[in-house]
Amino acid sequence: METVNYNYAIVRSFITWSIIWGVVTVLVGVLISFQLVLPELNFAPYLTYGRLRPIHTNAGIFGWGIGSFFALFYYMVQRLCRTSLWSDGLAKFQLWFFNATIITAAVTLLLGYTTSKEYHELEWPVDIMVVILWVAFAINIIMTIVKRREPQMYVSLWFMLASLVGVAILYLVNAAEVPVSLFKSYSAYAGTNDANVQWWFGHNAVAMVLTAPPLAVFYYFLPKATGAPIYSHRLSIVAFWSLIFMYLWTGAHHLLWTPVPDWVQTLAMAFSVMLIAPSWGSVFNGYLTMNGQWHQMRENYLVKFLILGITFYGLQTLQGPLQAVRSFSSFIHYTEWVPGHVHMGAMGWVSLVLFAAIYYLVPKIYGRELYSIPLANLHFWLVLVGQLIYSISLWVAGLQQAGMWHAMNNDGSLTYTFMEAFVEMYPYWWMRGVGGLIYLVGILVFIVNLIKTAQGGKPAPEAIQNA
Amino acid sequence: MDWASVLYLGFTFGLLVIFILIVWRTYQAKNKRRLEEPKHRMLDDD
């Protein structure tokens, strides 16, 4: 049998660094959540909420999220194509350039250099670094797919390709700007066009970074974890193409009730609701894969992470379209409901799937058994409880906040002042901080388990260096 | 309706037709075996 030299060193390195950035994002997240209730925790000018919040989001999306996807894409593409990477050297360059980019991003944000565009705060020199990084990654993955030895592509490869192309287009279009100094630029777009492009980018970053890649991971690791093939590969393909055709129209639902043209808002609202179909196509595919396998929810820690992950994806893709409807949006937009929604996606859907994939991979690429399954179960419950406390407390907070903002007296005046509604948020913000702390403890348990596995776990019966 | 609107409409309609063709091709009976085959490959050992 012909052997292939798979490059697992790069997978190991990206996993390590993504976890480091994951700890940074949760640590900063916990800190800024407590800064809201304990203002004395703000240390001006560098360690204030305003400067730390984009570090939290950027480290989460680019460091933990994309860093993990780098690792998992490099693993999956080699296995799915039954071939080695196109270029090991390019992958190694990408690893160190990735870390240099994240550090540069963190330092510039701390210093206050920002475009002020949410999720695209990085100024133009860092933008260029991001583009170089993504081009290196895309070339390596695409060229590996080109030289594949399996003609029929598994659906994970489609999701990976969509992510590579989608992120490139989104980032380049939204990064169009006019530099006026080394760390200051102005957007190439003006007024409502700027807002429209920004949220076309912003929401589709959710599609191409926080939906397509985790779905690629889910479709790969669910059959690996359960030992059962996915229910329908054809359903996954149709779900993929539906997602691709529908997602790119939805960004303007972030701009409901703004001066953006009414038809653009209506279009975004309609496509957001239609998006339920492809999203739930994947959810059903996951659930139906579990036919006859549900007992594994008790017995297999990987399945718990994956099925709870896809369940949060399902809930997220019902809640999201609901929020994109004008009437509901007018009630909850700008309230605490929204971070509750976002964190169900980040802490629930994306992170749970990533935890499962990393738990599956680390024992294999180190050739050792997982150090402790009870610790993995403890990790599962800590992050689940932490995330639920976080999201539920903010949904309740958002409803109360919206109710107080909208309450009117008989003469048409507001019943509550802004400050009265603000003060009512304090108990919920405390709960959010506690939820984040529990989640952080879960991540520490995860790290201890992985370190112990890498350092001294029992050698697995067989390592997987070749296939 | 100006030319720009006609082009937008044509482009949108073209996308819809492409999407329908993808779904139709995916669910054609003769393609079932070939398109479902990759899922069984996932059960090979890593």
Side-chain angles (χ1 to χ4, degrees):
Chain A
M1 189 169 123
E2 192 182 347
T3 59
V4 179
N5 288 320
Y6 293 118
N7 181 347
Y8 293 127
I10 196 68
V11 178
R12 272 198 295 267
S13 301
F14 269 118
I15 285 178
T16 305
W17 281 104
S18 72
I19 290 173
I20 290 170
W21 294 119
V23 172
V24 170
T25 191
V26 180
L27 265 177
V28 175
V30 169
L31 172 61
I32 61 176
S33 70
F34 283 114
Q35 280 181 332
L36 288 175
V37 278
L38 300 168
E40 58 272 25
L41 291 178
N42 287 268
F43 300 100
Y46 304 113
L47 300 178
T48 53
Y49 183 92
R51 293 203 184 176
L52 287 173
R53 195 265 181 181
I55 289 182
H56 167 64
T57 54
N58 279 272
I61 296 169
F62 299 109
W64 163 236
I66 290 186
S68 301
F69 296 132
F70 285 156
L72 299 170
F73 278 26
Y74 275 138
Y75 180 82
M76 292 189 295
V77 78
Q78 294 182 89
R79 304 300 312 196
L80 288 170
C81 298
R82 293 189 198 275
T83 186
S84 53
L85 276 188
W86 180 69
S87 170
D88 292 336
L90 190 59
K92 203 166 186 179
F93 159 78
Q94 188 204 333
L95 171 73
W96 294 110
F97 201 71
F98 161 70
N99 285 310
T101 305
I102 298 283
I103 291 167
T104 311
V107 171
T108 53
L109 289 172
L110 276 180
L111 293 173
Y113 297 115
T114 171
T115 63
S116 76
K117 291 179 170 184
E118 195 171 16
Y119 309 127
H120 201 149
E121 290 89 352
L122 307 176
E123 267 296 356
W124 68 272
V126 195
D127 272 347
I128 292 173
M129 294 177 78
V130 172
V131 171
I132 293 171
L133 183 66
W134 199 258
V135 168
F137 179 51
I139 288 175
N140 218 353
I141 295 288
I142 290 170
M143 292 308 291
T144 306
I145 293 175
V146 167
K147 73 184 185 96
R148 72 186 185 277
R149 299 196 301 176
E150 290 287 353
Q152 191 64 43
M153 287 164 54
Y154 186 63
V155 69
S156 296
L157 289 173
W158 286 105
F159 279 108
M160 287 157 69
L161 281 171
S163 174
L164 294 175
V165 175
V167 169
I169 294 171
L170 293 164
Y171 205 85
L172 283 176
V173 172
N174 198 43
E177 55 209 355
V178 182
V180 291
S181 70
L182 183 58
F183 281 109
K184 183 63 202 164
S185 63
Y186 290 100
S187 173
Y189 315 102
T192 54
N193 284 336
D194 191 34
N196 207 9
V197 172
Q198 156 61 18
W199 283 108
W200 169 79
F201 162 85
H203 196 73
N204 288 297
V206 175
M208 297 302 160
V209 177
L210 303 175
T211 302
L215 281 172
V217 173
F218 177 77
Y219 276 118
Y220 185 93
F221 288 96
L222 184 66
K224 293 290 182 191
T226 56
I230 58 165
Y231 168 72
S232 168
H233 192 247
R234 290 187 298 170
L235 174 60
S236 71
I237 292 171
V238 170
F240 166 78
W241 283 110
S242 320
L243 194 88
I244 297 305
F245 275 90
M246 290 175 194
Y247 225 123
L248 293 175
W249 306 82
T250 59
H253 68 217
H254 287 259
L255 299 165
L256 298 178
W257 305 102
T258 69
V260 167
D262 208 46
W263 70 267
V264 175
Q265 299 178 31
T266 304
L267 188 77
M269 189 170 76
F271 271 85
S272 301
V273 173
M274 284 156 62
L275 206 50
I276 293 172
S279 307
W280 273 79
S282 289
V283 176
F284 280 128
N285 219 343
Y287 285 161
L288 291 170
T289 299
M290 294 298 292
N291 270 346
Q293 303 291 332
W294 285 105
H295 58 94
Q296 293 202 40
M297 283 293 283
R298 289 192 308 271
E299 301 155 1
N300 185 337
Y301 66 101
L302 293 174
V303 173
K304 283 184 210 167
F305 280 102
L306 287 165
I307 292 300
L308 259 291
I310 200 72
T311 301
F312 282 125
Y313 175 62
L315 295 173
Q316 187 81 354
T317 52
L318 286 178
Q319 200 181 49
L322 179 69
Q323 292 167 202
V325 174
R326 269 199 189 87
S327 51
F328 192 63
S329 173
S330 72
F331 190 61
I332 54 89
H333 204 184
Y334 308 117
T335 71
E336 295 294 341
W337 173 284
V338 178
H341 168 71
V342 172
H343 283 79
M344 175 166 66
M347 297 161 79
W349 156 232
V350 178
S351 293
L352 289 185
V353 169
L354 289 180
F355 292 142
I358 292 172
Y359 270 131
Y360 177 88
L361 275 190
V362 166
K364 289 202 173 288
I365 58 182
Y366 282 93
R368 295 176 181 282
E369 288 180 2
L370 185 71
Y371 171 70
S372 168
I373 291 176
L375 274 186
N377 280 317
L378 177 65
H379 166 213
F380 170 79
W381 286 109
L382 285 169
V383 294
L384 179 65
V385 169
Q387 186 254 309
L388 287 175
I389 291 175
Y390 186 108
S391 288
I392 293 172
S393 61
L394 287 192
W395 292 330
V396 177
L399 291 176
Q400 180 174 343
Q401 199 175 23
M404 293 180 79
W405 286 352
H406 288 81
M408 283 192 186
N409 301 318
N410 289 336
D411 62 0
S413 61
L414 293 173
T415 307
Y416 302 101
T417 63
F418 179 80
M419 281 309 291
E420 282 173 319
F422 185 82
V423 169
E424 289 298 316
M425 292 299 104
Y426 269 65
Y428 302 109
W429 287 343
W430 275 110
M431 286 175 72
R432 164 170 54 186
V434 170
L437 263 181
I438 295 171
Y439 199 90
L440 179 62
V441 173
I443 288 191
L444 295 179
V445 171
F446 172 59
I447 292 172
V448 167
N449 211 356
L450 295 184
I451 291 174
K452 291 276 190 188
T453 302
Q455 282 180 343
K458 255 178 25 190
E462 51 185 291
I464 49 149
Q465 292 308 309
N466 297 302
Chain B
M1 190 181 274
D2 59 16
W3 276 109
S5 303
V6 172
L7 281 175
Y8 279 129
L9 189 65
F11 181 67
T12 307
F13 185 71
L15 288 177
L16 180 65
V17 169
I18 292 170
F19 177 65
I20 290 169
L21 286 175
I22 289 173
V23 176
W24 175 73
R25 181 178 168 275
T26 304
Y27 275 99
Q28 266 191 316
K30 67 174 183 179
N31 290 331
K32 179 176 180 181
R33 192 170 171 169
R34 185 172 58 84
L35 292 178
E36 290 293 350
E37 179 273 326
K39 75 178 186 186
H40 300 293
R41 244 193 287 141
M42 296 305 295
L43 301 185
D44 295 350
D45 276 346
D46 264 359

